[in-house]
Short mmCIF file of all heavy atoms in Angstrom, two decimals:
data_model
loop_
_atom_site.label_atom_id
_atom_site.label_comp_id
_atom_site.label_asym_id
_atom_site.label_seq_id
_atom_site.Cartn_x
_atom_site.Cartn_y
_atom_site.Cartn_z
N VAL A 1 10.72 13.22 -14.76
CA VAL A 1 9.35 13.04 -15.23
C VAL A 1 9.03 14.22 -16.17
O VAL A 1 9.33 15.38 -15.86
CB VAL A 1 8.35 13.03 -14.07
CG1 VAL A 1 6.94 13.01 -14.59
CG2 VAL A 1 8.61 11.83 -13.19
N GLY A 2 8.41 13.90 -17.28
CA GLY A 2 7.98 14.92 -18.22
C GLY A 2 6.48 14.84 -18.38
O GLY A 2 5.85 13.87 -18.03
N ALA A 3 5.93 15.87 -19.02
CA ALA A 3 4.49 15.90 -19.22
C ALA A 3 4.17 16.34 -20.65
O ALA A 3 4.91 17.13 -21.24
CB ALA A 3 3.85 16.88 -18.24
N VAL A 4 3.08 15.81 -21.16
CA VAL A 4 2.51 16.24 -22.43
C VAL A 4 1.14 16.78 -22.12
O VAL A 4 0.24 16.03 -21.71
CB VAL A 4 2.43 15.08 -23.44
CG1 VAL A 4 1.75 15.57 -24.72
CG2 VAL A 4 3.79 14.51 -23.75
N ALA A 5 0.97 18.09 -22.21
CA ALA A 5 -0.32 18.73 -21.93
C ALA A 5 -1.21 18.60 -23.17
O ALA A 5 -0.89 19.12 -24.21
CB ALA A 5 -0.13 20.20 -21.56
N ASP A 6 -2.32 17.87 -22.99
CA ASP A 6 -3.27 17.73 -24.08
C ASP A 6 -4.27 18.86 -24.13
O ASP A 6 -4.82 19.18 -25.18
CB ASP A 6 -4.03 16.39 -23.95
CG ASP A 6 -3.12 15.21 -24.06
OD1 ASP A 6 -2.20 15.24 -24.91
OD2 ASP A 6 -3.31 14.22 -23.33
N TRP A 7 -4.53 19.47 -22.97
CA TRP A 7 -5.47 20.57 -22.90
C TRP A 7 -5.15 21.46 -21.70
O TRP A 7 -4.81 20.96 -20.62
CB TRP A 7 -6.94 20.05 -22.73
CG TRP A 7 -7.97 21.10 -22.70
CD1 TRP A 7 -8.53 21.70 -23.77
CD2 TRP A 7 -8.54 21.73 -21.54
NE1 TRP A 7 -9.46 22.65 -23.34
CE2 TRP A 7 -9.46 22.68 -21.96
CE3 TRP A 7 -8.34 21.56 -20.17
CZ2 TRP A 7 -10.19 23.47 -21.08
CZ3 TRP A 7 -9.07 22.35 -19.28
CH2 TRP A 7 -9.98 23.26 -19.76
N THR A 8 -5.20 22.76 -21.90
CA THR A 8 -5.04 23.72 -20.83
C THR A 8 -6.11 24.76 -21.00
O THR A 8 -6.39 25.24 -22.12
CB THR A 8 -3.63 24.39 -20.88
OG1 THR A 8 -2.65 23.37 -20.82
CG2 THR A 8 -3.43 25.36 -19.75
N GLY A 9 -6.75 25.13 -19.88
CA GLY A 9 -7.81 26.13 -19.94
C GLY A 9 -7.86 26.93 -18.65
O GLY A 9 -7.33 26.52 -17.62
N ALA A 10 -8.52 28.08 -18.73
CA ALA A 10 -8.62 28.94 -17.57
C ALA A 10 -10.06 29.43 -17.41
O ALA A 10 -10.75 29.66 -18.40
CB ALA A 10 -7.69 30.14 -17.72
N ALA A 11 -10.48 29.54 -16.15
CA ALA A 11 -11.82 30.05 -15.83
C ALA A 11 -11.65 31.21 -14.87
O ALA A 11 -11.43 31.03 -13.66
CB ALA A 11 -12.63 28.94 -15.19
N PRO A 12 -11.75 32.43 -15.38
CA PRO A 12 -11.59 33.61 -14.53
C PRO A 12 -12.84 33.92 -13.74
O PRO A 12 -13.96 33.63 -14.17
CB PRO A 12 -11.25 34.74 -15.51
CG PRO A 12 -11.90 34.33 -16.78
CD PRO A 12 -11.88 32.80 -16.78
N ASP A 13 -12.68 34.48 -12.55
CA ASP A 13 -13.78 35.09 -11.82
C ASP A 13 -13.23 36.39 -11.23
O ASP A 13 -12.05 36.70 -11.39
CB ASP A 13 -14.38 34.13 -10.78
CG ASP A 13 -13.52 33.90 -9.55
OD1 ASP A 13 -12.72 34.78 -9.16
OD2 ASP A 13 -13.64 32.82 -8.97
N PRO A 14 -14.03 37.17 -10.53
CA PRO A 14 -13.54 38.49 -10.06
C PRO A 14 -12.36 38.43 -9.11
O PRO A 14 -11.59 39.36 -9.02
CB PRO A 14 -14.76 39.08 -9.37
CG PRO A 14 -15.94 38.42 -9.98
CD PRO A 14 -15.47 37.01 -10.31
N GLU A 15 -12.18 37.31 -8.38
CA GLU A 15 -11.11 37.25 -7.38
C GLU A 15 -9.92 36.41 -7.77
O GLU A 15 -8.86 36.54 -7.18
CB GLU A 15 -11.71 36.71 -6.08
CG GLU A 15 -12.74 37.64 -5.48
CD GLU A 15 -13.27 37.12 -4.15
OE1 GLU A 15 -12.60 36.28 -3.55
OE2 GLU A 15 -14.33 37.60 -3.73
N ALA A 16 -10.06 35.50 -8.73
CA ALA A 16 -8.96 34.60 -9.08
C ALA A 16 -9.19 34.01 -10.46
O ALA A 16 -10.24 34.22 -11.07
CB ALA A 16 -8.88 33.47 -8.04
N VAL A 17 -8.20 33.28 -10.92
CA VAL A 17 -8.34 32.50 -12.16
C VAL A 17 -8.01 31.06 -11.81
O VAL A 17 -7.00 30.79 -11.15
CB VAL A 17 -7.34 33.03 -13.24
CG1 VAL A 17 -7.41 32.16 -14.48
CG2 VAL A 17 -7.63 34.46 -13.59
N VAL A 18 -8.87 30.14 -12.22
CA VAL A 18 -8.60 28.73 -12.01
C VAL A 18 -8.10 28.15 -13.34
O VAL A 18 -8.74 28.30 -14.37
CB VAL A 18 -9.85 27.97 -11.56
CG1 VAL A 18 -9.55 26.48 -11.37
CG2 VAL A 18 -10.40 28.58 -10.26
N VAL A 19 -6.89 27.56 -13.30
CA VAL A 19 -6.26 27.04 -14.50
C VAL A 19 -6.19 25.53 -14.38
O VAL A 19 -5.81 24.99 -13.33
CB VAL A 19 -4.82 27.62 -14.67
CG1 VAL A 19 -4.15 27.02 -15.88
CG2 VAL A 19 -4.86 29.14 -14.71
N TYR A 20 -6.58 24.84 -15.47
CA TYR A 20 -6.49 23.38 -15.53
C TYR A 20 -5.52 22.98 -16.62
O TYR A 20 -5.51 23.59 -17.67
CB TYR A 20 -7.87 22.75 -15.83
CG TYR A 20 -8.85 22.83 -14.71
CD1 TYR A 20 -9.72 23.92 -14.58
CD2 TYR A 20 -8.92 21.81 -13.78
CE1 TYR A 20 -10.63 23.96 -13.54
CE2 TYR A 20 -9.83 21.85 -12.74
CZ TYR A 20 -10.66 22.94 -12.63
OH TYR A 20 -11.57 23.00 -11.60
N SER A 21 -4.76 21.91 -16.34
CA SER A 21 -3.92 21.28 -17.36
C SER A 21 -4.21 19.79 -17.28
O SER A 21 -4.15 19.19 -16.22
CB SER A 21 -2.45 21.56 -17.08
OG SER A 21 -1.64 20.89 -18.03
N ILE A 22 -4.50 19.20 -18.44
CA ILE A 22 -4.83 17.77 -18.53
C ILE A 22 -3.91 17.14 -19.57
O ILE A 22 -3.73 17.69 -20.65
CB ILE A 22 -6.31 17.57 -18.91
CG1 ILE A 22 -7.20 18.20 -17.86
CG2 ILE A 22 -6.61 16.10 -19.13
CD1 ILE A 22 -8.66 18.24 -18.25
N GLY A 23 -3.33 16.01 -19.21
CA GLY A 23 -2.44 15.36 -20.17
C GLY A 23 -1.88 14.06 -19.63
O GLY A 23 -2.53 13.39 -18.81
N THR A 24 -0.69 13.71 -20.06
CA THR A 24 -0.04 12.47 -19.63
C THR A 24 1.41 12.72 -19.18
O THR A 24 2.05 13.68 -19.63
CB THR A 24 -0.03 11.42 -20.75
OG1 THR A 24 0.62 11.94 -21.90
CG2 THR A 24 -1.45 10.96 -21.11
N LEU A 25 1.88 11.85 -18.30
CA LEU A 25 3.23 11.92 -17.79
C LEU A 25 4.06 10.78 -18.38
O LEU A 25 3.53 9.73 -18.75
CB LEU A 25 3.23 11.78 -16.27
CG LEU A 25 2.41 12.81 -15.50
CD1 LEU A 25 2.36 12.41 -14.01
CD2 LEU A 25 3.00 14.19 -15.63
N HIS A 26 5.34 11.02 -18.45
CA HIS A 26 6.29 9.97 -18.90
C HIS A 26 7.58 10.14 -18.16
O HIS A 26 7.90 11.24 -17.66
CB HIS A 26 6.52 10.06 -20.42
CG HIS A 26 7.02 11.39 -20.86
ND1 HIS A 26 8.38 11.71 -20.88
CD2 HIS A 26 6.38 12.52 -21.23
CE1 HIS A 26 8.53 12.95 -21.29
NE2 HIS A 26 7.32 13.48 -21.51
N GLY A 27 8.35 9.05 -18.02
CA GLY A 27 9.62 9.14 -17.30
C GLY A 27 10.05 7.78 -16.83
O GLY A 27 9.80 6.78 -17.48
N GLU A 28 10.67 7.75 -15.63
CA GLU A 28 11.14 6.52 -15.03
C GLU A 28 10.70 6.47 -13.57
O GLU A 28 10.72 7.48 -12.87
CB GLU A 28 12.67 6.43 -15.06
CG GLU A 28 13.26 6.30 -16.44
CD GLU A 28 14.78 6.14 -16.39
OE1 GLU A 28 15.37 6.24 -15.29
OE2 GLU A 28 15.37 5.93 -17.46
N TRP A 29 10.33 5.26 -13.14
CA TRP A 29 10.08 5.04 -11.70
C TRP A 29 11.43 5.10 -10.99
O TRP A 29 12.48 5.01 -11.62
CB TRP A 29 9.42 3.70 -11.51
CG TRP A 29 8.06 3.59 -12.15
CD1 TRP A 29 7.73 2.85 -13.21
CD2 TRP A 29 6.88 4.29 -11.78
NE1 TRP A 29 6.38 3.00 -13.55
CE2 TRP A 29 5.84 3.90 -12.68
CE3 TRP A 29 6.55 5.20 -10.78
CZ2 TRP A 29 4.53 4.38 -12.59
CZ3 TRP A 29 5.25 5.69 -10.72
CH2 TRP A 29 4.26 5.28 -11.57
N PRO A 30 11.42 5.19 -9.65
CA PRO A 30 12.70 5.26 -8.92
C PRO A 30 13.62 4.07 -9.20
O PRO A 30 14.85 4.22 -9.13
CB PRO A 30 12.25 5.26 -7.44
CG PRO A 30 10.93 5.94 -7.49
CD PRO A 30 10.28 5.44 -8.77
N ASP A 31 13.08 2.91 -9.60
CA ASP A 31 13.93 1.76 -9.91
C ASP A 31 14.46 1.78 -11.31
O ASP A 31 15.16 0.86 -11.76
CB ASP A 31 13.21 0.46 -9.61
CG ASP A 31 12.07 0.19 -10.60
OD1 ASP A 31 11.80 1.01 -11.53
OD2 ASP A 31 11.41 -0.86 -10.41
N GLY A 32 14.16 2.84 -12.09
CA GLY A 32 14.67 2.97 -13.45
C GLY A 32 13.74 2.46 -14.52
O GLY A 32 14.02 2.60 -15.72
N THR A 33 12.63 1.80 -14.15
CA THR A 33 11.69 1.28 -15.13
C THR A 33 10.97 2.45 -15.83
O THR A 33 10.39 3.31 -15.16
CB THR A 33 10.62 0.38 -14.46
OG1 THR A 33 11.31 -0.66 -13.74
CG2 THR A 33 9.68 -0.20 -15.47
N PRO A 34 10.99 2.50 -17.17
CA PRO A 34 10.32 3.61 -17.87
C PRO A 34 8.80 3.46 -17.83
O PRO A 34 8.25 2.38 -17.69
CB PRO A 34 10.84 3.48 -19.29
CG PRO A 34 11.25 2.06 -19.44
CD PRO A 34 11.67 1.58 -18.08
N PHE A 35 8.10 4.62 -17.92
CA PHE A 35 6.66 4.61 -18.05
C PHE A 35 6.25 5.75 -18.96
O PHE A 35 7.00 6.69 -19.18
CB PHE A 35 5.96 4.75 -16.68
CG PHE A 35 6.12 6.10 -16.04
CD1 PHE A 35 5.25 7.14 -16.32
CD2 PHE A 35 7.16 6.33 -15.15
CE1 PHE A 35 5.39 8.39 -15.74
CE2 PHE A 35 7.34 7.58 -14.57
CZ PHE A 35 6.43 8.61 -14.86
N GLU A 36 5.03 5.61 -19.53
CA GLU A 36 4.46 6.68 -20.34
C GLU A 36 2.94 6.49 -20.34
O GLU A 36 2.43 5.43 -20.01
CB GLU A 36 4.99 6.69 -21.76
CG GLU A 36 4.67 5.47 -22.56
CD GLU A 36 5.23 5.52 -23.97
OE1 GLU A 36 6.28 6.17 -24.18
OE2 GLU A 36 4.63 4.90 -24.85
N GLY A 37 2.21 7.56 -20.63
CA GLY A 37 0.77 7.47 -20.67
C GLY A 37 0.07 7.58 -19.35
O GLY A 37 -1.11 7.31 -19.24
N ASN A 38 0.76 8.00 -18.30
CA ASN A 38 0.20 8.18 -16.98
C ASN A 38 -0.62 9.48 -16.97
O ASN A 38 -0.09 10.57 -17.03
CB ASN A 38 1.35 8.23 -15.96
CG ASN A 38 0.92 8.27 -14.52
OD1 ASN A 38 -0.17 8.75 -14.20
ND2 ASN A 38 1.77 7.77 -13.65
N ARG A 39 -1.96 9.34 -16.90
CA ARG A 39 -2.83 10.51 -17.00
C ARG A 39 -2.70 11.42 -15.78
O ARG A 39 -2.50 10.98 -14.68
CB ARG A 39 -4.30 10.07 -17.11
CG ARG A 39 -4.60 9.22 -18.30
CD ARG A 39 -6.00 8.67 -18.24
NE ARG A 39 -6.21 7.93 -17.01
CZ ARG A 39 -7.37 7.56 -16.54
NH1 ARG A 39 -8.48 7.84 -17.19
NH2 ARG A 39 -7.48 6.88 -15.41
N TYR A 40 -2.83 12.75 -16.03
CA TYR A 40 -2.83 13.70 -14.94
C TYR A 40 -3.84 14.82 -15.17
O TYR A 40 -4.23 15.10 -16.30
CB TYR A 40 -1.42 14.31 -14.73
CG TYR A 40 -1.08 15.40 -15.73
CD1 TYR A 40 -1.47 16.72 -15.51
CD2 TYR A 40 -0.41 15.11 -16.90
CE1 TYR A 40 -1.18 17.70 -16.44
CE2 TYR A 40 -0.09 16.10 -17.84
CZ TYR A 40 -0.50 17.39 -17.59
OH TYR A 40 -0.21 18.35 -18.50
N VAL A 41 -4.26 15.43 -14.07
CA VAL A 41 -5.03 16.67 -14.08
C VAL A 41 -4.36 17.59 -13.02
O VAL A 41 -4.24 17.18 -11.87
CB VAL A 41 -6.52 16.47 -13.74
CG1 VAL A 41 -7.23 17.81 -13.67
CG2 VAL A 41 -7.18 15.54 -14.74
N ASP A 42 -3.97 18.79 -13.42
CA ASP A 42 -3.45 19.77 -12.49
C ASP A 42 -4.44 20.93 -12.44
O ASP A 42 -4.94 21.37 -13.49
CB ASP A 42 -2.09 20.32 -12.94
CG ASP A 42 -0.97 19.31 -12.87
OD1 ASP A 42 -1.17 18.24 -12.24
OD2 ASP A 42 0.08 19.54 -13.47
N ARG A 43 -4.71 21.44 -11.24
CA ARG A 43 -5.62 22.56 -11.04
C ARG A 43 -4.89 23.61 -10.19
O ARG A 43 -4.41 23.29 -9.10
CB ARG A 43 -6.89 22.11 -10.32
CG ARG A 43 -7.88 23.23 -10.06
CD ARG A 43 -9.04 22.71 -9.20
NE ARG A 43 -10.05 23.73 -9.00
CZ ARG A 43 -10.08 24.58 -7.99
NH1 ARG A 43 -9.10 24.55 -7.06
NH2 ARG A 43 -11.04 25.44 -7.88
N TYR A 44 -4.79 24.82 -10.71
CA TYR A 44 -4.14 25.92 -10.03
C TYR A 44 -5.11 27.05 -9.82
O TYR A 44 -5.90 27.36 -10.73
CB TYR A 44 -2.97 26.48 -10.85
CG TYR A 44 -1.96 25.45 -11.26
CD1 TYR A 44 -2.05 24.81 -12.49
CD2 TYR A 44 -0.91 25.13 -10.44
CE1 TYR A 44 -1.11 23.87 -12.89
CE2 TYR A 44 0.05 24.18 -10.81
CZ TYR A 44 -0.08 23.57 -12.03
OH TYR A 44 0.85 22.62 -12.44
N VAL A 45 -5.07 27.70 -8.67
CA VAL A 45 -5.80 28.92 -8.43
C VAL A 45 -4.78 30.04 -8.39
O VAL A 45 -3.84 29.99 -7.57
CB VAL A 45 -6.63 28.86 -7.12
CG1 VAL A 45 -7.35 30.19 -6.88
CG2 VAL A 45 -7.61 27.70 -7.16
N VAL A 46 -4.96 31.02 -9.28
CA VAL A 46 -4.00 32.12 -9.39
C VAL A 46 -4.73 33.42 -8.94
O VAL A 46 -5.80 33.76 -9.45
CB VAL A 46 -3.51 32.29 -10.83
CG1 VAL A 46 -2.54 33.44 -10.94
CG2 VAL A 46 -2.86 30.99 -11.30
N ARG A 47 -4.09 34.09 -8.00
CA ARG A 47 -4.64 35.34 -7.47
C ARG A 47 -3.51 36.37 -7.41
O ARG A 47 -2.45 36.08 -6.85
CB ARG A 47 -5.22 35.10 -6.08
CG ARG A 47 -6.11 36.19 -5.57
CD ARG A 47 -6.80 35.80 -4.25
NE ARG A 47 -7.85 34.80 -4.51
CZ ARG A 47 -7.98 33.66 -3.86
NH1 ARG A 47 -7.15 33.34 -2.87
NH2 ARG A 47 -8.96 32.82 -4.15
N SER A 48 -3.72 37.52 -8.01
CA SER A 48 -2.70 38.59 -8.04
C SER A 48 -1.39 38.08 -8.60
O SER A 48 -0.30 38.45 -8.11
CB SER A 48 -2.49 39.20 -6.64
OG SER A 48 -3.70 39.75 -6.14
N GLY A 49 -1.46 37.21 -9.58
CA GLY A 49 -0.26 36.71 -10.25
C GLY A 49 0.47 35.61 -9.48
O GLY A 49 1.53 35.17 -9.94
N LEU A 50 -0.08 35.13 -8.38
CA LEU A 50 0.56 34.09 -7.58
C LEU A 50 -0.32 32.83 -7.53
O LEU A 50 -1.56 32.96 -7.42
CB LEU A 50 0.81 34.58 -6.17
CG LEU A 50 1.73 35.80 -5.99
CD1 LEU A 50 1.75 36.23 -4.54
CD2 LEU A 50 3.14 35.46 -6.48
N ILE A 51 0.29 31.68 -7.57
CA ILE A 51 -0.45 30.45 -7.35
C ILE A 51 -0.73 30.33 -5.87
O ILE A 51 0.19 30.24 -5.05
CB ILE A 51 0.34 29.22 -7.85
CG1 ILE A 51 0.57 29.32 -9.36
CG2 ILE A 51 -0.40 27.93 -7.51
CD1 ILE A 51 1.50 28.25 -9.92
N VAL A 52 -2.02 30.35 -5.50
CA VAL A 52 -2.38 30.29 -4.09
C VAL A 52 -2.93 28.90 -3.69
O VAL A 52 -3.10 28.63 -2.49
CB VAL A 52 -3.40 31.42 -3.70
CG1 VAL A 52 -2.76 32.77 -3.90
CG2 VAL A 52 -4.67 31.29 -4.51
N ASP A 53 -3.23 28.10 -4.66
CA ASP A 53 -3.70 26.73 -4.38
C ASP A 53 -3.34 25.86 -5.60
O ASP A 53 -3.43 26.30 -6.73
CB ASP A 53 -5.20 26.70 -4.13
CG ASP A 53 -5.69 25.32 -3.71
OD1 ASP A 53 -5.10 24.73 -2.80
OD2 ASP A 53 -6.67 24.83 -4.32
N MET A 54 -2.92 24.63 -5.32
CA MET A 54 -2.58 23.71 -6.39
C MET A 54 -3.09 22.32 -5.98
O MET A 54 -2.86 21.88 -4.83
CB MET A 54 -1.09 23.69 -6.63
CG MET A 54 -0.66 22.73 -7.72
SD MET A 54 1.10 22.83 -8.13
CE MET A 54 1.81 21.96 -6.76
N GLN A 55 -3.77 21.65 -6.89
CA GLN A 55 -4.19 20.29 -6.68
C GLN A 55 -3.75 19.46 -7.88
O GLN A 55 -3.85 19.92 -9.02
CB GLN A 55 -5.71 20.20 -6.53
CG GLN A 55 -6.18 20.93 -5.29
CD GLN A 55 -7.70 20.98 -5.16
OE1 GLN A 55 -8.41 20.82 -6.16
NE2 GLN A 55 -8.18 21.16 -3.96
N VAL A 56 -3.25 18.28 -7.59
CA VAL A 56 -2.70 17.42 -8.66
C VAL A 56 -3.26 16.02 -8.52
O VAL A 56 -3.27 15.46 -7.40
CB VAL A 56 -1.16 17.38 -8.55
CG1 VAL A 56 -0.56 16.42 -9.57
CG2 VAL A 56 -0.55 18.76 -8.72
N TRP A 57 -3.76 15.49 -9.61
CA TRP A 57 -4.27 14.11 -9.64
C TRP A 57 -3.53 13.37 -10.77
O TRP A 57 -3.31 13.95 -11.82
CB TRP A 57 -5.75 14.07 -9.91
CG TRP A 57 -6.59 14.74 -8.91
CD1 TRP A 57 -7.06 14.24 -7.73
CD2 TRP A 57 -7.11 16.09 -8.98
NE1 TRP A 57 -7.83 15.17 -7.07
CE2 TRP A 57 -7.87 16.32 -7.82
CE3 TRP A 57 -6.98 17.12 -9.91
CZ2 TRP A 57 -8.52 17.52 -7.58
CZ3 TRP A 57 -7.63 18.32 -9.66
CH2 TRP A 57 -8.38 18.51 -8.51
N ASN A 58 -3.18 12.11 -10.54
CA ASN A 58 -2.63 11.27 -11.62
C ASN A 58 -2.84 9.80 -11.29
O ASN A 58 -3.30 9.44 -10.21
CB ASN A 58 -1.18 11.62 -11.91
CG ASN A 58 -0.28 11.35 -10.75
OD1 ASN A 58 -0.24 10.24 -10.22
ND2 ASN A 58 0.47 12.36 -10.31
N ASP A 59 -2.49 8.96 -12.24
CA ASP A 59 -2.68 7.51 -12.11
C ASP A 59 -1.55 6.80 -11.41
O ASP A 59 -1.55 5.57 -11.32
CB ASP A 59 -2.80 6.88 -13.52
CG ASP A 59 -4.12 7.23 -14.22
OD1 ASP A 59 -5.09 7.49 -13.53
OD2 ASP A 59 -4.12 7.22 -15.47
N SER A 60 -0.56 7.48 -10.89
CA SER A 60 0.64 6.84 -10.34
C SER A 60 0.33 5.81 -9.27
O SER A 60 0.90 4.72 -9.28
CB SER A 60 1.61 7.89 -9.79
OG SER A 60 2.11 8.67 -10.85
N ALA A 61 -0.54 6.12 -8.30
CA ALA A 61 -0.83 5.16 -7.22
C ALA A 61 -1.38 3.86 -7.78
O ALA A 61 -0.94 2.77 -7.37
CB ALA A 61 -1.79 5.77 -6.22
N GLU A 62 -2.32 3.96 -8.71
CA GLU A 62 -2.90 2.74 -9.30
C GLU A 62 -1.85 1.96 -10.06
O GLU A 62 -1.80 0.74 -9.98
CB GLU A 62 -4.08 3.10 -10.23
CG GLU A 62 -5.30 3.59 -9.48
CD GLU A 62 -5.27 5.07 -9.13
OE1 GLU A 62 -4.24 5.74 -9.40
OE2 GLU A 62 -6.24 5.56 -8.58
N TRP A 63 -0.99 2.64 -10.82
CA TRP A 63 0.07 1.96 -11.56
C TRP A 63 1.02 1.22 -10.61
O TRP A 63 1.44 0.12 -10.92
CB TRP A 63 0.82 2.96 -12.41
CG TRP A 63 0.09 3.43 -13.64
CD1 TRP A 63 -1.26 3.57 -13.78
CD2 TRP A 63 0.64 3.76 -14.88
NE1 TRP A 63 -1.54 4.05 -15.04
CE2 TRP A 63 -0.38 4.17 -15.75
CE3 TRP A 63 1.95 3.83 -15.35
CZ2 TRP A 63 -0.19 4.59 -17.04
CZ3 TRP A 63 2.17 4.24 -16.66
CH2 TRP A 63 1.11 4.60 -17.48
N LEU A 64 1.35 1.84 -9.51
CA LEU A 64 2.26 1.21 -8.55
C LEU A 64 1.61 -0.02 -7.90
O LEU A 64 2.27 -1.02 -7.63
CB LEU A 64 2.73 2.22 -7.48
CG LEU A 64 3.65 3.28 -8.02
CD1 LEU A 64 3.89 4.35 -6.94
CD2 LEU A 64 4.97 2.72 -8.52
N LEU A 65 0.28 0.04 -7.63
CA LEU A 65 -0.42 -1.11 -7.08
C LEU A 65 -0.41 -2.27 -8.06
O LEU A 65 -0.21 -3.43 -7.68
CB LEU A 65 -1.84 -0.73 -6.70
CG LEU A 65 -2.00 0.19 -5.51
CD1 LEU A 65 -3.45 0.65 -5.36
CD2 LEU A 65 -1.53 -0.48 -4.22
N VAL A 66 -0.60 -1.98 -9.33
CA VAL A 66 -0.57 -3.04 -10.36
C VAL A 66 0.85 -3.64 -10.41
O VAL A 66 1.01 -4.86 -10.45
CB VAL A 66 -1.01 -2.48 -11.73
CG1 VAL A 66 -0.71 -3.50 -12.82
CG2 VAL A 66 -2.50 -2.13 -11.71
N ARG A 67 1.86 -2.79 -10.45
CA ARG A 67 3.24 -3.29 -10.50
C ARG A 67 3.57 -4.14 -9.34
O ARG A 67 4.36 -5.11 -9.45
CB ARG A 67 4.23 -2.10 -10.56
CG ARG A 67 4.22 -1.37 -11.89
CD ARG A 67 5.28 -0.29 -11.92
NE ARG A 67 6.61 -0.91 -11.95
CZ ARG A 67 7.69 -0.34 -11.47
NH1 ARG A 67 7.64 0.87 -10.92
NH2 ARG A 67 8.85 -0.93 -11.53
N ALA A 68 3.01 -3.86 -8.16
CA ALA A 68 3.26 -4.63 -6.95
C ALA A 68 2.44 -5.91 -6.89
O ALA A 68 2.60 -6.70 -5.96
CB ALA A 68 3.02 -3.77 -5.72
N GLY A 69 1.54 -6.08 -7.86
CA GLY A 69 0.68 -7.27 -7.86
C GLY A 69 -0.46 -7.22 -6.88
O GLY A 69 -1.08 -8.23 -6.56
N LEU A 70 -0.80 -6.02 -6.38
CA LEU A 70 -1.82 -5.88 -5.36
C LEU A 70 -3.21 -5.70 -5.96
O LEU A 70 -4.22 -5.86 -5.24
CB LEU A 70 -1.49 -4.72 -4.43
CG LEU A 70 -0.19 -4.89 -3.66
CD1 LEU A 70 0.17 -3.63 -2.89
CD2 LEU A 70 -0.25 -6.10 -2.74
N VAL A 71 -3.31 -5.36 -7.22
CA VAL A 71 -4.60 -5.28 -7.92
C VAL A 71 -4.41 -5.82 -9.31
O VAL A 71 -3.32 -5.78 -9.90
CB VAL A 71 -5.13 -3.81 -7.99
CG1 VAL A 71 -5.42 -3.24 -6.62
CG2 VAL A 71 -4.16 -2.92 -8.72
N PRO A 72 -5.47 -6.40 -9.89
CA PRO A 72 -5.33 -6.94 -11.24
C PRO A 72 -5.24 -5.83 -12.28
O PRO A 72 -5.67 -4.71 -12.05
CB PRO A 72 -6.62 -7.74 -11.42
CG PRO A 72 -7.59 -7.15 -10.48
CD PRO A 72 -6.79 -6.62 -9.33
N ARG A 73 -4.69 -6.16 -13.41
CA ARG A 73 -4.58 -5.18 -14.52
C ARG A 73 -5.91 -4.92 -15.13
O ARG A 73 -6.81 -5.59 -15.24
CB ARG A 73 -3.65 -5.69 -15.61
CG ARG A 73 -2.23 -5.57 -15.18
CD ARG A 73 -1.32 -5.95 -16.32
NE ARG A 73 0.02 -5.70 -15.81
CZ ARG A 73 0.89 -4.92 -16.41
NH1 ARG A 73 0.64 -4.35 -17.53
NH2 ARG A 73 2.07 -4.71 -15.89
#
């Protein structure tokens, strides 16, 4: 899986820096089917040079539900 970061930004405060990366993912599903344009948002909290919290959101679950025919396109 690869990523294209469309925007990255940081919001510092006295104790940490919160970093966001927003973009799209591309690659292959486990069955080899290619995909692209899968949106993502990554959020990292960095304290003393270390990532202490990470949250990741993307469209993968919804895409898999559509592929399985469980939700309409």
Side-chain angles (χ1 to χ4, degrees):
V1 174
V4 175
D6 296 322
W7 181 84
T8 303
D13 74 28
E15 295 183 18
V17 176
V18 179
V19 178
Y20 287 91
S21 177
I22 299 171
T24 57
L25 302 171
H26 57 88
E28 292 183 355
W29 296 111
D31 69 0
T33 304
F35 70 88
E36 63 180 30
N38 186 331
R39 299 173 304 166
Y40 78 86
V41 176
D42 292 345
R43 178 185 184 270
Y44 305 93
V45 178
V46 180
R47 194 173 287 130
S48 300
L50 299 174
I51 297 172
V52 297
D53 186 50
M54 180 174 76
Q55 297 175 338
V56 176
W57 299 275
N58 63 55
D59 289 333
S60 294
E62 289 83 357
W63 285 33
L64 291 173
L65 289 172
V66 169
R67 288 184 69 208
L70 299 173
V71 296
R73 284 186 176 236

